[in-house]
C-alpha cells in the first residue's frame, strides 16, 4: 500500500519522560553546535500526559542535568517530600518499620508525572521539537539491509471488520536516520524489535508489576502535604510481591496506589480488588473518609532491573526508558532513570549523526555511555533485591537489608528471574479469593473506576487486543486457570460470557487503559496488544 | 463565497467534568481540552462546501485565551485557510461571543457563518441564534443537511420528531447538529502545514465590544445522586404505580 | 411584571411541553401565554384553559405557521416590554427562537433551567448534566428555556384566561418553510422520546430483542440499548444510551436486563422515572431505579405487555 512519507533526522516513539528528555537533549546539542536537526515525537495518547501514570515521587537528578533551571521554567515539582513512612500491615494492625535507605525521599518531590510530561513537552516544543499526540506508531519500517528506517502510524477509520470506512485515512510513514523507541513498559513495537534483533538473548526475562492508582481529593484535616507513605504486607500473603503507596500532593490531593508483582501464582487473585481491599485497612481508610475519588488508572512497570536490561541498540535505532526497563525497584522509581537513558541516547545519536549521513548505523556509543553513568551503577547495586522476594517477604526484607547495608550491592552473585506468564498455578490447586463487595464510597467496581480514567476508543475499529489462537481463552485459560484475564485486567476488558450454554471470551476493547498486563500475564502469551487508533485510551488528568 | 466558522476550545468529550470542591466552578486544571465536537462538524461542513466549489475561503474564529490558538491550528489542519483569535482571559458568555462574531462578520463579510449547535461545556445552545438575530440574518439551527444555492440555502433541521426543511436567504447563520457529517481525521502533514497558515490575533476592545458577563455563577455543584426507589412485587403493582403514583403512562 | 410563555404547538394542538414551561413561569409571577401561529384559534382556546394562566395573546398570520425564528422573535421583542421573564419549553423550537429574542433585547439567556431559586437565580445543568450550575442574571428581562423534566406540568384545564388578539408583525422574508418529514414509524426518536425502553445484555440475543421492541410499541416508546447489548451485536450502535452513546432524559425509562454500569447510568440518570427489570437483585441499576422488579425478563416483560394492554 502506498503511504505518504515524511523525513526527519530523529523520530521518537512515545512522549513520556524518556522520549521527551531525549528530544530536549537532541535539540539542546543541535543548538549548542549550530547544527540543523529535525526531531519528531509520536504519542499514541490524545495529548502528552494522557497515558502517563505514575505514583509519583520524583527524583530530580536527571532533570537537574537536563534543565538545571527547571524551577524558573515553572516545572510542576510543587510538593517537596517532608516525611517518609514505611508500614507493615496485618489485617487489623499497622507496624511502623524503619524506612529502607533506598526509600528515603529527602530532596525528592511528589508530582503528577503526567503534568511533568506536559511541561517537558512545552520545553521541547520551545526548542523546535515537532510533537504529534494522537498518532500511534503501529509498525516498524526497515531498509532493505534490515536496519530500521522509521515507523508508520496506524490507519485511521478502519471498521471493526478491518475494512476502509467512509473517513479512512491511511497511516503515514515517518522516516528517520535514527529512531528512538520510548514506548514505556512492554512497548508493542519494542516486542517486535526484541525478536527481530534478538535483543534479549543472554539476559534474564523481563519481569513486571502492575500499578493501580487512584487520585483522591480528601478532607483538609486528613491531608498532610508532602507525606510519603508505603506499606507492605496485608492484603497480600507473604509469598506475593505487593505494596502500596500513599502520597499527599498539593490542594488536598492524595495519590493512592497498589503495586503487585505479576509473578503471582493464584489465578483467582485480582490486583484491582487487592487495591480496593487495601484502602479498607483501619490504618488507611480514615484518610479517605469524606473525600472523593477523582481519577483512576493502571499501568504495568518493568521490575527486572539490571539483569533484565536487553541489548539497547540495533541498526537504525535504540530503546530508552521503561520499554528497556530501567526502573529501580527498591526505590520504586523509574522516571529519573528513564530520563537519563533518553538523554544519554540523545548524546550518542547526536554524535553519530554529526559524523556522517549513512543510514542504518548503530549508536553503539549509547550503551557504552550508559555503563559509565550513575544510572548503571544505581541499577547494579539493587539488582538482587527483587529476586530475593522469591523466598517470601521476610527473607527478602532481611536479604534487602543485608544486601543494601552490608554488601552495598556488591555481592558476587546475581539472582535470576523467571517470566511472569509461567507463574500461574492451575486453578484446581488454588483457593478462590473472596473479595468484599464495593461500597461505592471507599471501594468501587471496575467499570465505575474506568469511567474516571476518561477512557474511550472509537467503537468502529478492529479490536486492538488480538488473540493468536481464538480457542485458547476457553480451552486453556478458562478450563485450567479459571479465566485469569477477567481478574488481572484492571479495566474489565475481558469477560467470559455464556451464550446458549457455550462459554466465550468477550473483549471490551473500548475499556482498555493501555496498561499491557494482558500482554504480559496471559499464560500462553496468546494475547498480543497492538496499538488502537491514535488518540484512543485513557485521558488521565493529573496522574 | 467566504465561510466563517466559529470554533471553541472546550473540555474534551471523553473527560468527565466535576465541580471544584468549593463550588466556585468546574475543575479544569490539566484536563484535556479539544475543539468542541459540534464545531468540528461545522468546520468539516465548510471544507466540504469548499471542496464542492461552493466556497472560496474558510475563516476559522476562536475566542478565549492564547491556548485557543491550538484549536485554530486544528481547524486549519482540517482545512480552514486562516484563523482569527479574539484573545481574552475574561469569561466570554454567549451574547458577548455573538457580538464579537458580529463585529468580525461586519469586517470579513462572509456569505455563510457555521457554528456548532452548542458547546459541550456550558451547553448553552445560544450563540448561533444570537448572532443571526444581531445580524438580522436567517438562521438554520440544528442542521442535518445543507444545500447551498446561489442566493439561498436549503437546510434540513433536526426537530423534535423528525426533520424540517427550510429555505434561507443568504447570507445566513447555520448551526451544526450531530448528523450533518462525520469530521475527517487530521493528517500529520496537514498539521505541519497548518503551522504556516495565517493566524491573526485581535482583542475585544479592538473590535469595540463590551464582553462583561451578564450571568453570574453562584455555585457549581454535583447533581444529587439518584436515590433508589422501591421494589415492586409484580407487574400489576408496577403498572399501578406508573399509572397512579408516577403518572407517566 | 409577569412572565410570558411562548406556546409550543402545531396550529392545532397545544404541545404539553408548554405546561411544564407554565409551571416554571408560575413560580415567577403572573403568567401570560403567547400563541403565535396560523389559524390556531383552537390552540389559543386550549391555552386559555391551562391552570394558572392570566391571559392568552394570540397572533395569527401565515408567516407564523411554522414558528420561524426570524418572524417570531421580533413579535416577542415587541411584546416583551411588559414582562420580566420570557419563557419557552426547551424543545427544538424553543431552543431555536429564544436566543434570537434575547439577542434582540440585548439580554443573556438562561438555557434549560431545571429549577427556580428566585426571580433572578436559576439552576441549570452544564457539562452534559455532570455539574449543576446555579446562575444569577443581572438583566432586566430574563430569557429562559425550560427543561421539561425539571417541572411537573400544570393542569391543562381548569383555567379561564381571556384571549387577546395582538397584531402580527411583518414577514421578515428571510426564511421559508419547505417541508417536514416526521419520523414515520410509530416508534419515536430516541433523543426526543417521552418513554424509552432499553435492553441490555440480559436480553441474550438479537432475536430476543423483539420482546423489547414489543414492549416499546405497547408504550409508544423509543427503543434503546446498553453498550453491552450493542457490543454483543444485538442492535445497531445508534441505539446506544450512555456516556459514549446518547444522553437521554425521558419521562419514563424502562431498563430491561441492564445491569447498570456507570457508563449507562451517565446517559439516562436524568430520566424522570426509571424502571428496572433484572433477575439479579444486586444489579446496580436498582440503586437508581424508582421502581425495581426482580425477575426473569422473559416472564416479566410479556406479563407487563399484557397488563399494559388491558
Amino acid at each position: 500500500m502506498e503511504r505518504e512519507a515524511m523525513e526527519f533526522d530523529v523520530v521518537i516513539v512515545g512522549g513520556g519522560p524518556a522520549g521527551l528528555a531525549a528530544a530536549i537533549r537532541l535539540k539542546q546539542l543541535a543548538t549548542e553546535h549550530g547544527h540543523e536537526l529535525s526531531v519528531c515525537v509520536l504519542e499514541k495518547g490524545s495529548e502528552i500526559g494522557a497515558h502517563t501514570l505514575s505514583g509519583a515521587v520524583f527524583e530530580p537528578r536527571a532533570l537537574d542535568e537536563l534543565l538545571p533551571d527547571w524551577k524558573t521554567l515553572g516545572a510542576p515539582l510543587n510538593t517537596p517530600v517532608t516525611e517518609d513512612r514505611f508500614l507493615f500491615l496485618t489485617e487489623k494492625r499497622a507496624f511502623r518499620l524503619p524506612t529502607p535507605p533506598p526509600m528515603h525521599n529527602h530532596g525528592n518531590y511528589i508530582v503528577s508525572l503526567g503534568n511533568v510530561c506536559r511541561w517537558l513537552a512545552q520545553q521541547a516544543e520551545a526548542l523546535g521539537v515537532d510533537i504529534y499526540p494522537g498518532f500511534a506508531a503501529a509498525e516498524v519500517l526497515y531498509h532493505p539491509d534490515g536496519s530500521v528506517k522509521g515507523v508508520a502510524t496506524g490507519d485511521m477509520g478502519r471498521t471493526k471488520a478491518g475494512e476502509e470506512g467512509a473517513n479512512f485515512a491511511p497511516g503515514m510513514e515517518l522516516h528517520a536516520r535514527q529512531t528512538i523507541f520510548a514506548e514505556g513498559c512492554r512497548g508493542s513495537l519494542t516486542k517486535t524489535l526484541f525478536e527481530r534483533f534478538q535483543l534479549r538473548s543472554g539476559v534474564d526475562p523481563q519481569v513486571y508489576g502492575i500499578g493501580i492508582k487512584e487520585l483522591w481529593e480528601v478532607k483538609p484535616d486528613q491531608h498532610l502535604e508532602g507525606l510519603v507513605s508505603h506499606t507492605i504486607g496485608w492484603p497480600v500473603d507473604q509469598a506475593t510481591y505487593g505494596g502500596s503507596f500513599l502520597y499527599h500532593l498539593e490542594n488536598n490531593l492524595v495519590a493512592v496506589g497498589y503495586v503487585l508483582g505479576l509473578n503471582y501464582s493464584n489465578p483467582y487473585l485480582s490486583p484491582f480488588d487487592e487495591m480496593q481491599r487495601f484502602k479498607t485497612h483501619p490504618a488507611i481508610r480514615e484518610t479517605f473518609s469524606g473525600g472523593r475519588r477523582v481519577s483512576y488508572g493502571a499501568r504495568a512497570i518493568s521490575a527486572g532491573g539490571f539483569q533484565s536490561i536487553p541489548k539497547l541498540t540495533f541498526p537504525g535505532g535504540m530503546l530508552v526508558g521503561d520499554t528497556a526497563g530501567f526502573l529501580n525497584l527498591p526505590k520504586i522509581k523509574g522516571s529519573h532513570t528513564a530520563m537519563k537513558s533518553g538523554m544519554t541516547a540523545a548524546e550518542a545519536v547526536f554524535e553519530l549523526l554529526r559524523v556522517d549521513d549513512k543510514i542504518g548505523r548503530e549508536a553503539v556509543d549509547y550503551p557504552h555511555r550508559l555503563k559509565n553513568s550513575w544510572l548503571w551503577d544505581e541499577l547494579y547495586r539493587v539488582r538482587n533485591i527483587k529476586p530475593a522476594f522469591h523466598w517470601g517477604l521476610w527473607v527478602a526484607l532481611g536479604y534487602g537489608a543485608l544486601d543494601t547495608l552490608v554488601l552495598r550491592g556488591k555481592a558476587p552473585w546475581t539472582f535470576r528471574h523467571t517470566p511472569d506468564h509461567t507463574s500461574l498455578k492451575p486453578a484446581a490447586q488454588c483457593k478462590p479469593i473472596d473479595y468484599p463487595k464495593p461500597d461505592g464510597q471507599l471501594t468501587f467496581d471496575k467499570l465505575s473506576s474506568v469511567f474516571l480514567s476518561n477512557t474511550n476508543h472509537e467503537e468502529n475499529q478492529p479490536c486492538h487486543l488480538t488473540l493468536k489462537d481464538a480457542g485458547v481463552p476457553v480451552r486453556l485459560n478458562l478450563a485450567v486457570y479459571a479465566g485469569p484475564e477477567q481478574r488481572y485486567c484492571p479495566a474489565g476488558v475481558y469477560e467470559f460470557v455464556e451464550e446458549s450454554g457455550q462459554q466465550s471470551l468477550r473483549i471490551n476493547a473500548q475499556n482498555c487503559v493501555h496498561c499491557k498486563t494482558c500482554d504480559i500475564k496471559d499464560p500462553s502469551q496468546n494475547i498480543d496488544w497492538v496499538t488502537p487508533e491514535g488518540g484512543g485510551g485513557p485521558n488521565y488528568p493529573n496522574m | 463565497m467566504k465561510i466563517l466558522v466559529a470554533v471553541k476550545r472546550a473540555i474534551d468529550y471523553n473527560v468527565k467534568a466535576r465541580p471544584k470542591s468549593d463550588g466556585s466552578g468546574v475543575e479544569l486544571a490539566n484536563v484535556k481540552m479539544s475543539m468542541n465536537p459540534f464545531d468540528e462538524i461545522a468546520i468539516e461542513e465548510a471544507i466540504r462546501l469548499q471542496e464542492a466549489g461552493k466556497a472560496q475561503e474558510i475563516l476559522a474564529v476562536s475566542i478565549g485565551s492564547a491556548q485557543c490558538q491550538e484549536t485554530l491550528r486544528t481547524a486549519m489542519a482540517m482545512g480552514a485557510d486562516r484563523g482569527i483569535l479574539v484573545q481574552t482571559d475574561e469569561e466570554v458568555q454567549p451574547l458577548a461571543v455573538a457580538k464579537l462574531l458580529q463585529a468580525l462578520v461586519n469586517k470579513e463579510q462572509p456569505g455563510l457563518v457555521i457554528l456548532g449547535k452548542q458547546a459541550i461545556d456550558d451547553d448553552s445552545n445560544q450563540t448561533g441564534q444570537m448572532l443571526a438575530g444581531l445580524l438580522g440574518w436567517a438562521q438554520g439551527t440544528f442542521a442535518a443537511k445543507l444545500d447551498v444555492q446561489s442566493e439561498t440555502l436549503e437546510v434540513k433541521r433536526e426537530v423534535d420528531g423528525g426533520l424540517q426543511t427550510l429555505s434561507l436567504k443568504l447570507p445566513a447563520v447555520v448551526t451544526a447538529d450531530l448528523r450533518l457529517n462525520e469530521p475527517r481525521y487530521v493528517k500529520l502533514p496537514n498539521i505541519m502545514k497548518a503551522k504556516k497558515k495565517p493566524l491573526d490575533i485581535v482583542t475585544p476592545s479592538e473590535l469595540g465590544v463590551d464582553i462583561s458577563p451578564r450571568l453570574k455563577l453562584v455555585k457549581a455543584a454535583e447533581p444529587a445522586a439518584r436515590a433508589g426507589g422501591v421494589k415492586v412485587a409484580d407487574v400489576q403493582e408496577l403498572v399501578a404505580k406508573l399509572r397512579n403514583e408516577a403518572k407517566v403512562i | 411584571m409577569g412572565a410570558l410563555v411562548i406556546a409550543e404547538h402545531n396550529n392545532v394542538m397545544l404541545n404539553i411541553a408548554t405546561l411544564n414551561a407554565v409551571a416554571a413561569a408560575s413560580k415567577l409571577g403572573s403568567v401570560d401565554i403567547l400563541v403565535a401561529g396560523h389559524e390556531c384559534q383552537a390552540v389559543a382556546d386550549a391555552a386559555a384553559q391551562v391552570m394558572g394562566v392570566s391571559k392568552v395573546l394570540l397572533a395569527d398570520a401565515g408567516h407564523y405557521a411554522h414558528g420561524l425564528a426570524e418572524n417570531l422573535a421580533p413579535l416577542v421583542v415587541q411584546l416583551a416590554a411588559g414582562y420580566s421573564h420570557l419563557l419557552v419549553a426547551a424543545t427544538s423550537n424553543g431552543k431555536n427562537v429564544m436566543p434570537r429574542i434575547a439577542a434582540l433585547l440585548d439580554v443573556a439567556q438562561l438555557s434549560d433551567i431545571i429549577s427556580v431559586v428566585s426571580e433572578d437565580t436559576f439552576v441549570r445543568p452544564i457539562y452534559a448534566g455532570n455539574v449543576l450550575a446555579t446562575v444569577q442574571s443581572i438583566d432586566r428581562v430574563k430569557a429562559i428555556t425550560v427543561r421539561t423534566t425539571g417541572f411537573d406540568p400544570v393542569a391543562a384545564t381548569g383555567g379561564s384566561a381571556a384571549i387577546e388578539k395582538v397584531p402580527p408583525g411583518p414577514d421578515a422574508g428571510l426564511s421559508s418553510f419547505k417541508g417536514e418529514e416526521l419520523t414515520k414509524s410509530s416508534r419515536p426518536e430516541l433523543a426526543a422520546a417521552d418513554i424509552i425502553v432499553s435492553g441490555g445484555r440480559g436480553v441474550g440475543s438479537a432475536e430476543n430483542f423483539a420482546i423489547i421492541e414489543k414492549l416499546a410499541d405497547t408504550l409508544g416508546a423509543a427503543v434503546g440499548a446498553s453498550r453491552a447489548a450493542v457490543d454483543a451485536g444485538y442492535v445497531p450502535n445508534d441505539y446506544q444510551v450512555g456516556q459514549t452513546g446518547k444522553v437521554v432524559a425521558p419521562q419514563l425509562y424502562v431498563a430491561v436486563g441492564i445491569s447498570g454500569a456507570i457508563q449507562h447510568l451517565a446517559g439516562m440518570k436524568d430520566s424522570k422515572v426509571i424502571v428496572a427489570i433484572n433477575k439479579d437483585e444486586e444489579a446496580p441499576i436498582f440503586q437508581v431505579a424508582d421502581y425495581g422488579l426482580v425477575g426473569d425478563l422473559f416472564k416479566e416483560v410479556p406479563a407487563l405487555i399484557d397488563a399494559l394492554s388491558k
Side-chain angles (χ1 to χ4, degrees):
Chain A
M1 183 181 49
E2 267 303 301
R3 291 184 289 211
E4 285 180 74
M6 291 164 80
E7 308 285 334
F8 294 91
D9 290 314
V10 181
V11 165
I12 298 171
V13 179
L20 292 169
I24 290 170
R25 190 74 195 113
L26 277 166
K27 279 294 196 180
Q28 286 175 338
L29 289 165
T31 312
E32 243 168 69
H33 293 85
H35 208 89
E36 280 282 312
L37 193 76
S38 58
V39 179
C40 157
V41 176
L42 285 179
E43 165 57 43
K44 70 179 164 56
S46 65
E47 62 168 354
I48 296 292
H51 289 185
T52 306
L53 179 125
S54 184
V57 175
F58 186 83
E59 179 178 315
R61 187 170 186 177
L63 183 60
D64 285 338
E65 293 174 11
L66 182 68
L67 297 163
D69 51 348
W70 54 262
K71 261 188 192 139
T72 50
L73 291 168
L77 276 55
N78 305 325
T79 314
V81 177
T82 53
E83 188 187 344
D84 280 299
R85 285 186 198 164
F86 187 55
L87 302 172
F88 172 75
L89 303 184
T90 64
E91 189 173 353
K92 302 267 184 256
R93 304 190 58 189
F95 301 93
R96 186 101 181 238
L97 301 179
T99 304
M103 291 167 76
H104 284 183
N105 282 306
H106 182 75
N108 296 337
Y109 295 81
I110 306 177
V111 301
S112 150
L113 193 62
N115 291 347
V116 171
C117 288
R118 289 180 178 97
W119 173 82
L120 282 172
Q122 287 168 11
Q123 311 311 310
E125 281 189 318
L127 289 165
V129 176
D130 285 316
I131 301 182
Y132 297 118
F135 292 92
E139 183 189 341
V140 182
L141 304 172
Y142 296 97
H143 288 293
D145 71 356
S147 62
V148 170
K149 185 184 185 183
V151 291
T153 62
D155 294 341
M156 306 286 262
R158 275 199 192 279
T159 66
K160 221 169 227 174
E163 287 149 5
E164 296 180 7
N167 266 349
F168 177 76
M172 284 276 312
E173 295 196 357
L174 287 95
H175 299 164
R177 294 160 70 196
Q178 287 289 324
T179 307
I180 301 179
F181 293 85
E183 295 179 282
C185 175
R186 194 76 171 191
S188 51
L189 298 184
T190 302
K191 234 173 100 170
T192 67
L193 293 165
F194 281 159
E195 203 158 314
R196 183 170 181 119
F197 294 108
Q198 295 291 302
L199 301 176
R200 299 212 66 92
S201 79
V203 302
D204 277 15
Q206 186 58 271
V207 295
Y208 301 89
I210 176 174
I212 299 176
K213 175 181 168 182
E214 294 177 351
L215 191 64
W216 282 71
E217 198 175 271
V218 301
K219 289 267 178 243
D221 60 5
Q222 290 296 334
H223 189 243
L224 286 161
E225 186 164 330
L227 172 65
V228 164
S229 169
H230 293 102
T231 74
I232 53 171
W234 189 87
V236 297
D237 61 28
Q238 68 113 12
T240 308
Y241 185 87
S244 79
F245 61 84
L246 210 62
Y247 302 151
H248 290 243
L249 296 109
E250 70 263 41
N251 301 329
N252 295 325
L253 291 174
V254 172
V256 53
Y258 203 86
V259 180
L260 208 133
L262 283 177
N263 61 346
Y264 67 83
S265 60
N266 183 348
Y268 291 111
L269 188 144
S270 162
F272 174 85
D273 292 293
E274 296 296 348
M275 151 80 179
Q276 297 304 318
R277 184 151 74 158
F278 158 73
K279 287 182 292 177
T280 66
H281 192 276
I284 305 297
R285 65 181 308 144
E286 213 32 47
T287 306
F288 306 107
S289 119
R292 60 173 176 169
R293 189 172 68 145
V294 297
S295 194
Y296 168 86
R299 184 72 172 96
I301 54 171
S302 306
F306 187 79
Q307 47 274 61
S308 298
I309 296 174
K311 180 169 185 285
L312 296 171
T313 59
F314 38 85
M318 72 217 65
L319 309 175
V320 301
D322 208 25
T323 203
F326 294 120
L327 185 105
N328 179 335
L329 194 78
K331 271 192 185 176
I332 32 176
K333 285 183 194 65
S335 323
H336 65 303
T337 47
M339 288 179 68
K340 179 67 178 174
S341 69
M343 290 150 62
T344 309
E347 285 158 11
V349 165
F350 185 75
E351 283 308 316
L352 196 71
L353 297 184
R354 219 152 69 107
V355 185
D356 64 43
D357 264 345
K358 277 205 210 83
I359 55 151
R361 302 230 310 168
E362 183 163 345
V364 287
D365 202 30
Y366 160 47
H368 182 71
R369 284 168 184 256
L370 211 55
K371 279 169 191 160
N372 291 314
S373 75
W374 52 259
L375 181 153
W376 209 257
D377 182 52
E378 184 179 320
L379 292 186
Y380 180 76
R381 282 168 185 269
V382 299
R383 72 195 182 286
N384 284 331
I385 307 283
K386 156 86 186 176
F389 275 85
H390 187 65
W391 298 308
L393 176 65
W394 291 112
V395 178
L397 283 178
Y399 178 81
L402 171 82
D403 199 278
T404 312
L405 300 171
V406 180
L407 304 170
R408 298 184 177 275
K410 295 192 169 139
W413 57 79
T414 296
F415 300 147
R416 318 297 345 168
H417 295 304
T418 48
D420 293 328
H421 70 267
T422 60
S423 64
L424 280 185
K425 290 182 187 154
Q429 299 171 23
C430 299
K431 259 177 61 183
I433 305 173
D434 186 24
Y435 290 109
K437 283 200 135 233
D439 65 8
Q441 301 286 324
L442 176 65
T443 56
F444 303 91
D445 63 18
K446 279 185 187 171
L447 285 182
S448 53
S449 302
V450 176
F451 189 68
L452 290 179
S453 66
N454 303 320
T455 296
N456 195 25
H457 292 87
E458 165 61 42
E459 301 195 25
N460 196 8
Q461 64 172 308
C463 180
H464 73 280
L465 300 149
T466 62
L467 302 179
K468 289 175 194 153
D469 175 346
V472 160
V474 172
R475 200 169 64 229
L476 176 71
N477 295 1
L478 189 62
V480 180
Y481 300 106
E485 55 270 62
Q486 304 173 90
R487 289 176 283 273
Y488 63 60
C489 172
V493 169
Y494 298 96
E495 267 182 292
F496 283 93
V497 293
E498 197 185 301
E499 264 171 300
S500 36
Q502 291 278 21
Q503 289 280 354
S504 65
L505 180 70
R506 177 156 293 138
I507 302 180
N508 304 307
Q510 240 190 351
N511 288 355
C512 175
V513 295
H514 296 204
C515 77
K516 313 280 179 79
T517 302
C518 53
D519 194 280
I520 296 164
K521 188 66 177 169
D522 184 72
S524 64
Q525 296 283 278
N526 186 50
I527 299 174
D528 192 24
W529 192 102
V530 300
T531 49
E533 260 185 24
N539 282 284
Y540 296 136
N542 304 307
M543 288 291 266
Chain B
M1 181 169 76
K2 185 195 285 186
I3 302 180
L4 187 153
V5 184
V7 294
K8 182 174 185 181
R9 182 174 187 269
I11 193 167
D12 185 83
Y13 75 103
N14 289 310
V15 176
K16 263 68 69 186
R18 67 173 204 278
K20 289 184 184 167
S21 48
D22 64 0
S24 64
V26 174
E27 191 60 73
L28 293 175
N30 301 303
V31 157
K32 158 119 174 103
M33 305 291 272
S34 298
M35 188 190 297
N36 177 41
F38 291 107
D39 302 351
E40 254 184 79
I41 297 172
I43 284 279
E44 176 66 34
E45 194 63 18
I47 300 166
R48 291 186 187 187
L49 287 169
Q50 191 181 41
E51 286 170 349
K54 308 258 182 171
Q56 281 69 54
E57 192 192 23
I58 301 169
L59 166 62
V61 175
S62 192
I63 298 170
S65 68
Q67 288 149 311
C68 296
Q69 289 186 43
E70 290 169 25
T71 315
L72 287 169
R73 293 291 174 202
T74 305
M76 291 189 277
M78 286 177 74
D81 298 296
R82 61 191 176 94
I84 297 179
L85 170 61
V86 182
Q87 191 169 331
T88 171
D89 289 325
E90 305 296 311
E91 183 199 356
V92 194
Q93 295 178 347
L95 181 62
V97 173
K99 288 178 181 176
L100 291 168
L101 292 174
Q102 179 193 16
L104 286 173
V105 165
N106 289 338
K107 217 161 117 184
E108 295 283 344
Q109 299 288 316
L112 180 64
V113 178
I114 312 181
L115 308 88
K117 75 161 178 178
Q118 76 188 67
I120 61 167
D121 46 13
D122 63 18
D123 285 333
S124 287
N125 190 339
Q126 299 173 4
T127 306
Q129 297 89 312
M130 286 182 157
L131 175 62
L134 294 174
L135 291 167
W137 289 8
Q139 68 186 53
T141 51
F142 324 142
K145 192 170 185 294
L146 296 188
D147 183 4
V148 177
Q149 286 130 23
S150 57
E151 305 285 315
T152 59
L153 162 69
E154 199 153 284
V155 55
K156 264 197 177 43
R157 304 177 56 231
E158 305 266 3
V159 295
D160 298 338
L163 289 168
Q164 180 194 58
T165 307
L166 298 181
S167 173
L168 308 181
K169 216 171 115 183
L170 286 172
V173 174
V174 164
T175 74
D177 212 324
L178 210 55
R179 289 197 288 179
L180 184 58
N181 60 54
E182 195 184 326
R184 65 196 59 199
Y185 291 100
V186 176
K187 291 188 178 162
L188 269 184
N190 293 346
I191 298 178
M192 298 201 92
K193 282 179 211 149
K195 288 183 181 169
K196 301 193 178 77
K197 289 185 180 178
L199 194 165
D200 294 321
I201 296 177
V202 296
T203 63
S205 57
E206 283 165 11
L207 293 174
V209 176
D210 172 15
I211 61 164
S212 39
R214 308 288 190 85
L215 300 175
K216 198 178 108 197
L217 180 73
V218 180
K219 190 177 74 175
E222 222 151 332
R226 219 186 151 96
V230 295
K231 292 253 168 72
V232 293
D234 51 33
V235 293
Q236 277 67 35
E237 190 189 343
L238 176 61
V239 171
K241 294 248 190 223
L242 291 177
R243 284 207 173 116
N244 308 324
E245 192 175 272
K247 297 189 175 127
V248 284
I249 55 171
Chain C
M1 298 282 273
L4 179 66
V5 173
I6 303 168
E8 164 96 25
H9 64 89
N10 61 359
N11 297 312
V12 182
M13 293 211 335
L14 184 68
N15 186 318
I16 58 149
T18 310
L19 304 181
N20 304 86
V22 170
S26 304
K27 296 177 188 286
L28 297 161
S30 68
V31 182
D32 293 354
I33 291 190
L34 168 66
V35 176
H38 185 47
E39 294 169 356
C40 54
Q41 183 66 43
V43 178
D45 293 343
Q49 306 267 304
V50 171
M51 190 62 107
V53 172
S54 312
K55 189 163 67 175
V56 176
L57 305 178
L58 171 61
D60 198 320
H63 56 272
Y64 295 140
H66 300 286
L68 297 172
E70 295 83 352
N71 295 333
L72 187 49
L75 174 71
V76 177
V77 168
Q78 202 190 339
L79 299 171
Y83 297 97
S84 56
H85 296 81
L86 305 173
L87 299 96
V88 70
T91 59
S92 52
N93 285 330
K95 289 174 178 174
N96 184 44
V97 72
M98 188 57 86
R100 191 170 179 117
I101 296 166
L104 294 176
L105 289 170
D106 193 26
V107 301
Q109 174 180 303
L110 298 126
S111 295
D112 262 323
I113 65 159
I114 56 167
S115 91
V116 174
V117 177
S118 71
E119 61 170 28
D120 64 357
T121 305
F122 306 87
V123 180
R124 54 177 303 259
I126 55 176
Y127 291 86
N130 288 316
V131 178
L132 295 184
T134 305
V135 184
Q136 184 178 27
S137 165
I138 60 163
D139 288 317
R140 189 192 63 80
V141 179
K142 281 77 176 167
I144 294 168
T145 64
V146 177
R147 182 172 285 199
T148 52
T149 46
F151 299 88
D152 289 331
V154 296
T157 55
S160 56
I163 300 177
E164 182 183 307
K165 293 206 168 173
V166 296
D171 182 351
L174 292 171
S175 56
S176 57
F177 175 82
K178 287 285 161 194
E180 136 180 283
E181 310 155 35
L182 296 181
T183 314
K184 291 274 189 320
S185 111
S186 53
R187 226 174 264 155
E189 280 272 311
L190 195 51
D194 284 332
I195 304 181
I196 294 172
V197 180
S198 282
R201 182 167 305 151
V203 177
S205 71
E207 296 73 47
N208 290 350
F209 227 82
I211 195 174
I212 302 296
E213 287 165 357
K214 192 161 174 215
L215 175 58
D217 291 343
T218 310
L219 285 165
V223 177
S226 68
R227 193 172 98 188
V230 171
D231 282 353
Y234 303 165
V235 286
N237 202 21
D238 57 350
Y239 279 49
Q240 189 187 323
V241 172
Q243 182 213 344
T244 53
K246 292 193 173 69
V247 175
V248 298
Q251 297 287 327
L252 172 62
Y253 189 91
V254 184
V256 182
I258 291 177
S259 65
I262 191 157
Q263 284 83 350
H264 187 73
L265 301 185
M268 45 68 86
K269 64 176 167 42
D270 293 332
S271 305
K272 182 139 185 249
V273 174
I274 297 175
V275 170
I277 302 176
N278 202 302
K279 66 177 178 204
D280 173 13
E281 67 178 304
E282 301 280 334
I285 190 80
F286 288 120
Q287 291 163 22
V288 300
D290 299 281
Y291 303 110
L293 178 58
V294 180
D296 178 6
L297 72 95
F298 298 106
K299 191 176 132 261
E300 304 296 348
V301 172
L304 182 56
I305 293 169
D306 265 2
L308 288 165
S309 313
K310 274 178 198 154

